[in-house]
Amino acid sequence: MASLVRVSSYLIDHPKLPVFKNTHCCLHPNYKPLKRRTPHYRSLTISCAFTESNSPDSSLHQDIQPLLQDISESFLLPPDYFAELPNDLRLDLNDAAFDISSGPVIDECGQDMGEALLNLSRAWEAADTSTSSDIARKLPALASLLTTNAKSAFGKRLISSGRRFLSMGQYGQGELQRIAKAMIKAGKLLSAVTSTNDEKPKMERMLKFGSLQVELTATKANIGAVIAFGFGVICWQLSQGIQSTPESSLQYANDNALLLGKSLRGALLALCYSSTILSGFSTIGLILLARQLRSAKDE
């Protein structure tokens, strides 16, 4: 009987032998069922894979690509769509072109994306629908190469320009509203990217006259103030010269010439005085602008 107990104990404690449950027999008092160990390396590998796929850059790329694709598809318009817009909508389109490319676009968005936005702006100003569609088709590929700061700047430009399209209202089959919604939605996602650069972005003010862009600086504002002051002095001297000339010294052929001379004299005086006043206000405004630009640059 003792040998039978030793054999059963050996069979139970042996790790290589399978354990069978039998409800009709009594097991050894020291018997402990073996616990099946599951390997941990599989769960560790899976968690690493999820960590890599959930990185911010990867998730942003996956989220933004469909939105940029919506932008490119929204510009698939008839060849003469922009050219056939009414005059007021053409003005809004020019404003959208200015917002998408104003300022140092190449410095903020990179060389490739900056040049693409400049070309897109020119296409909108020229109402070239086909060129606009071709450039918009390249935006998803170009956006994937942008840095964090460039993505944020690109997103802000999309929002600003998209709001211009949104202000055009319902036209045609709603193509402009579709463009606006796609640009604003993608812009909000891109502009939400946290900038890794601790430095404050350089703020520049630009004036645009057609295709000519002029950067506003404190020096240029001071030069403009000097020119405005000089022009005001000239207008003032001219008005004083006209006013100091007595009417009796002038001779007229008849009464009609007399009336015409008096009316011209009054018009010249009004023009000179108004030009002097406007020059004074311009001088003061440019001086204040120069101080504001200088203080902003020092900060």
Side-chain angles (χ1 to χ4, degrees):
M1 184 66 179
S3 61
L4 181 60
V5 170
R6 285 195 299 271
V7 171
S8 62
S9 175
Y10 172 76
L11 292 176
I12 292 172
D13 294 336
H14 199 282
K16 296 185 179 180
L17 292 178
V19 178
F20 299 96
K21 291 185 179 180
N22 190 353
T23 57
H24 299 287
C25 65
C26 296
L27 299 178
H28 193 273
N30 295 328
Y31 167 73
K32 294 181 180 180
L34 295 176
K35 294 183 179 180
R36 189 175 184 86
R37 295 183 179 181
T38 57
H40 294 285
Y41 65 90
R42 292 183 179 178
S43 61
L44 181 61
T45 305
I46 295 173
S47 63
C48 292
F50 279 110
T51 302
E52 293 177 359
S53 63
N54 291 331
S55 61
D57 293 338
S58 177
S59 61
L60 177 64
H61 179 75
Q62 294 176 359
D63 294 339
I64 196 60
Q65 283 301 314
L67 299 180
L68 293 175
Q69 191 64 33
D70 290 341
I71 295 177
S72 63
E73 291 177 357
S74 65
F75 280 98
L76 296 177
L77 303 170
D80 297 331
Y81 185 83
F82 287 152
E84 295 176 352
L85 291 176
N87 292 332
D88 56 340
L89 297 185
R90 285 287 300 274
L91 293 176
D92 291 335
L93 183 62
N94 291 337
D95 292 337
F98 175 76
D99 290 343
I100 200 71
S101 63
S102 62
V105 60
I106 295 180
D107 295 336
E108 293 180 358
C109 300
Q111 183 71 27
D112 296 335
M113 179 61 78
E115 291 180 354
L117 294 180
L118 288 173
N119 293 331
L120 184 62
S121 174
R122 297 188 188 101
W124 289 352
E125 291 177 349
D128 190 347
T129 309
S130 59
T131 303
S132 174
S133 177
D134 294 338
I135 297 173
R137 196 179 297 114
K138 302 176 183 178
L139 293 181
L142 294 175
S144 61
L145 304 177
L146 295 179
T147 61
T148 303
N149 295 335
K151 288 179 180 178
S152 179
F154 177 48
K156 293 177 181 178
R157 292 175 181 275
L158 286 178
I159 293 175
S160 179
S161 182
R163 287 172 179 170
R164 297 289 188 180
F165 279 97
L166 190 63
S167 65
M168 295 182 187
Q170 191 73 23
Y171 177 79
Q173 301 298 323
E175 296 88 352
L176 299 176
Q177 295 299 304
R178 182 186 176 191
I179 293 173
K181 292 178 181 179
M183 293 180 70
I184 293 175
K185 189 175 182 180
K188 287 182 177 179
L189 183 59
L190 283 170
S191 60
V193 178
T194 304
S195 176
T196 57
N197 190 2
D198 294 333
E199 296 182 358
K200 293 182 179 180
K202 183 180 179 182
M203 297 183 63
E204 296 182 352
R205 298 188 179 185
M206 304 291 295
L207 285 178
K208 187 174 182 181
F209 303 94
S211 61
L212 176 64
Q213 291 186 0
V214 179
E215 179 185 357
L216 285 179
T217 61
T219 303
K220 293 179 180 179
N222 287 326
I223 294 174
V226 173
I227 295 173
F229 180 76
F231 182 74
V233 171
I234 293 173
C235 292
W236 174 258
Q237 294 294 333
L238 183 59
S239 64
Q240 293 302 308
I242 295 173
Q243 192 173 9
S244 62
T245 303
E247 295 183 2
S248 59
S249 62
L250 302 176
Q251 296 180 356
Y252 302 96
N254 49 37
D255 294 339
N256 292 332
L258 177 62
L259 293 175
L260 180 61
K262 288 183 178 181
S263 61
L264 288 176
R265 184 173 182 271
L268 287 175
L269 285 174
L271 179 62
C272 291
Y273 280 128
S274 61
S275 299
T276 303
I277 295 173
L278 290 176
S279 299
F281 282 118
S282 300
T283 303
I284 296 173
L286 288 171
I287 291 174
L288 295 177
L289 178 61
R291 289 183 179 179
Q292 183 180 4
L293 293 174
R294 189 180 295 109
S295 61
K297 183 178 180 180
D298 293 339
E299 291 177 0

